[in-house]
Amino acid sequence: MKTIRTPILAIGYLEFGPSDGRVVIPLHGWPSDVHDFDAVAPPLAEAGFRVLVPWLRGFGPTRFLDPATPRSGQQAALGADVRDFMDALSIPSAILVGYDWGGRAACVAAALWPRRVAALVAITGYGIQNIPAAAKPGSAEQEYRYWYQWYFHTARGRAGLATNRAEIARLLWRLWSPNWMFDEATFAATAASFDNPDFVDVTIQSYRHRYGNAPGDPAYDGLEAALAAQPPLTVPTIVLHGEADGVGAPATSIPRDHLFTGGMERRLIPRAGHFLSRENPDDVVAAVVRLAGPEP
């Protein structure tokens, strides 16, 4: 593990591959961590890529530098962290890969700083939240899938997350990837990242902010205003979606495919669930290699 400082965070990350390789930054989801890419990073490194896998804010060894910084998990903060991480490592451009929170961070970075994003593997599609429209309910089936988000809007839910974070995460893994038979050692390796002292605060703020029920960090107000317009993503993109994703079925992401304006391919992955990079890592590797194209 390595650590790099940005203006806001000390970010823990893993590095694979040659230092002069084309840079790939895989970004993990919630509730998970860098182990999402245990079977993705090594083959990419062997193919000549420099792979940098950071822990997001609120996870694992990543820490806020200032106790006074709001513990925000809002989408603009996640995207700005990717930009700041690249700045700290003097990386002008990278291929971003992500799903869930990591996919949102990648989409935000691609929307706001497209020159910094060479290409994008967007697992489950366009991840930028439409917060102004968040009060509009979805289908009954989708509202049911989001039960944990409504739970986190309550004091009981906050206390439940603080007390039962591993139990909640284990349940969601099973619900979201029903065909993935992970073992306890695999889960335990990631569950340690939920012991981060900011995990609960960042999680609760994220799920409340996206529905307009918690204030954001004022430092990101300008970025959130830009994201409210649902900006197009102008970088080359491959969308991967597991057909058995227990959070959002593939059909739920298709309506926003028109927001990928830089060229997009969509691939449905049979039997895969939400944790696609763990279940079908070869598909993620292949998407990166295809987007990268031949060596310049």
Side-chain angles (χ1 to χ4, degrees):
M1 191 199 79
K2 299 183 177 181
T3 304
I4 191 74
R5 287 195 170 207
T6 72
I8 304 296
L9 301 167
I11 297 178
Y13 68 101
L14 305 179
E15 181 166 358
F16 305 81
S19 61
D20 60 348
R22 287 177 290 177
V23 178
V24 179
I25 301 177
L27 299 159
H28 70 79
W30 185 99
S32 199
D33 77 344
V34 296
H35 290 294
D36 280 336
F37 302 101
D38 281 355
V40 171
L44 286 176
E46 291 173 9
F49 294 94
R50 181 187 182 195
V51 187
L52 306 169
V53 192
W55 279 265
L56 302 186
R57 56 170 58 198
F59 293 81
T62 294
R63 295 290 187 273
F64 288 86
L65 300 178
D66 186 344
T69 300
R71 271 35 179 181
S72 171
Q74 69 193 88
Q75 61 181 349
L78 299 177
D81 288 347
V82 176
R83 176 203 59 190
D84 293 347
F85 179 68
M86 294 172 65
D87 286 348
L89 290 168
S90 300
I91 296 168
S93 179
I95 297 172
L96 302 184
V97 180
Y99 79 101
D100 200 272
W101 283 28
R104 183 163 302 113
C107 287
V108 168
L112 299 180
W113 305 286
R115 293 184 179 180
R116 307 296 299 275
V117 181
L120 174 66
V121 179
I123 300 171
T124 73
Y126 185 90
I128 298 173
Q129 296 156 342
N130 189 353
I131 295 176
K136 181 180 178 180
S139 67
E141 177 69 21
Q142 193 57 51
E143 300 287 86
Y144 163 74
R145 290 172 183 253
Y146 284 164
W147 67 268
Y148 63 101
Q149 299 187 16
W150 322 136
Y151 180 56
F152 293 158
H153 274 67
T154 68
R156 181 187 180 100
R158 180 188 181 88
L161 182 63
T163 302
N164 303 316
R165 64 193 75 186
E167 183 181 353
I168 290 171
R170 187 185 289 105
L171 172 61
L172 294 177
W173 281 29
R174 290 171 176 160
L175 293 174
W176 293 355
S177 284
N179 297 319
W180 177 37
M181 300 296 105
F182 62 88
D183 58 28
E184 187 57 30
T186 297
F187 177 77
T190 286
S193 286
F194 311 149
D195 292 331
N196 182 296
D198 301 307
F199 176 77
V200 172
D201 287 343
V202 169
T203 295
I204 296 299
Q205 194 277 346
S206 174
Y207 285 107
R208 294 182 182 181
H209 179 269
R210 67 185 63 188
Y211 294 102
N213 294 326
D217 182 341
Y220 302 109
D221 283 352
L223 300 183
E224 288 290 354
L227 297 173
Q230 298 289 274
L233 301 187
T234 60
V235 305
T237 301
I238 292 177
V239 171
L240 304 176
H241 208 138
E243 67 174 6
D245 192 313
V247 185
T252 64
S253 68
I254 291 173
R256 299 212 285 175
D257 279 357
H258 69 280
L259 294 169
F260 294 101
T261 61
M264 186 270 280
E265 298 177 29
R266 170 179 282 274
R267 300 177 184 173
L268 181 66
I269 310 302
R271 289 186 54 81
H274 192 64
F275 299 96
L276 191 148
S277 62
R278 295 180 185 251
E279 300 170 73
N280 291 72
D282 290 349
D283 288 298
V284 179
V285 172
V288 171
V289 170
R290 177 169 173 78
L291 286 169
E295 285 280 0

